[in-house]
Amino acid sequence: SYVLTQPPSVSVAPAQTARIPCGGPNIGSKPVHWYQQKPGQAPVLVVYDDGVRPSGIPERFSGSNSGNTATLTISRVEAGDEADYYCQVWDSSRDQNYVFVFGTGTKVTVL
Amino acid sequence: QLQLQESGPGLVKPSETLSLTCTVSGGSISSPSYYWGWIRQPPGKGLEWIGSIDYRGDTYYNPTLKSRLTISVDKSKNQVSLKLDSVTAADTAVYYCARSGPGIRGATTSWGQGTLVTVSS
């Protein structure tokens, strides 16, 4: 099965840049989506198709994807960015069944 | 604006069947190219995809749950349903209904608020 690996935690000072990696075999060949989840709330999409921001998401959120690593970058971090972040892809197996895979999740702490 | 609302029992006994319904408003579950799915999150843990169904009724299941899982749609009621058989304490989680797409690789753009299901005698 396809596994997406993220660091459990990332700490960053306000106004600095947070980078959250998401590792998977040849992930660069798949569209990657990123979700933000705050305590007690449903996840919210912050980046889709590697690096596209949905309407209403600040420009501070950006993404990239190449090789075996996709990265979510949060620039000029604010206290309100403190949350769990998950990457996600669809993977297809040899029998053409599609499965939806989430990363292990990264807790971003703003110092 | 699309809204998804999960409903169902908050407490299920071990070995019984967990049944949840997602009622969709502000959009049709028959919309081409969209996928209606269930995602769960055990307390204090990460997100786990359960399965999805598309507008044609084709299903996609998490291989680890496939033998216990049924996802279906009721187009007349604009609802998506989840049934998970033979539950154990490990199935205790917040269950989310969600829509992804367009296309099989599309992002999940709409989520329900989630409903906590506890498996306990």
Side-chain angles (χ1 to χ4, degrees):
Chain A
S1 63
Y2 194 82
V3 177
L4 294 175
T5 303
Q6 300 179 235
S9 62
V10 167
S11 297
V12 58
Q16 298 304 302
T17 298
R19 294 180 178 84
I20 305 167
C22 171
N26 199 28
I27 193 174
S29 67
K30 306 176 186 295
V32 177
H33 316 305
W34 290 91
Y35 304 89
Q36 175 194 70
Q37 186 181 33
K38 296 182 178 180
Q41 298 183 19
V44 172
L45 180 69
V46 292
V47 165
Y48 67 96
D49 290 351
D50 298 340
V52 183
R53 278 177 294 102
S55 174
I57 300 300
E59 292 183 5
R60 301 183 297 101
F61 288 84
S62 62
S64 62
N65 186 18
S66 179
N68 295 318
T69 304
T71 303
L72 175 70
T73 300
I74 311 173
S75 305
R76 302 180 299 283
V77 166
E78 301 175 356
D81 299 331
E82 189 162 283
D84 294 325
Y85 292 83
Y86 296 89
C87 56
Q88 179 257 310
V89 300
W90 276 94
D91 182 51
S92 58
S93 61
R94 291 180 181 177
D95 57 1
Q96 295 303 305
N97 284 334
Y98 287 94
V99 293
F100 189 106
V101 183
F102 281 107
T104 49
T106 298
K107 180 174 180 57
V108 170
T109 300
V110 181
L111 301 171
Chain B
Q1 181 180 358
L2 189 71
Q3 292 188 322
L4 295 81
Q5 180 67 57
E6 306 90 348
S7 60
L11 181 64
V12 181
K13 290 183 168 56
S15 80
E16 295 189 346
T17 296
L18 182 161
S19 297
L20 295 175
T21 298
C22 172
T23 300
V24 178
S25 58
S28 172
I29 63 169
S30 299
S31 297
S33 299
Y34 285 94
Y35 296 77
W36 304 91
W38 291 93
I39 293 155
R40 70 181 182 180
Q41 186 171 36
K45 296 189 178 181
L47 300 171
E48 178 184 29
W49 174 68
I50 299 170
S52 300
I53 187 167
D54 69 17
Y55 66 103
R56 297 164 296 188
D58 292 338
T59 53
Y60 307 82
Y61 291 161
N62 184 325
T64 65
L65 299 171
K66 186 175 182 178
S67 64
R68 301 192 288 134
L69 183 60
T70 303
I71 294 176
S72 60
V73 296
D74 185 332
K75 294 182 181 179
S76 67
K77 296 182 179 179
N78 223 32
Q79 292 177 334
V80 184
S81 295
L82 164 73
K83 292 187 187 299
L84 185 65
D85 298 328
S86 306
V87 297
T88 69
D91 294 310
T92 293
V94 174
Y95 285 75
Y96 294 100
C97 174
R99 189 189 81 166
S100 59
I104 191 76
R105 291 183 171 84
T108 301
T109 53
S110 299
W111 298 72
Q113 65 183 22
T115 186
L116 174 63
V117 178
T118 301
V119 178
S120 175
S121 55

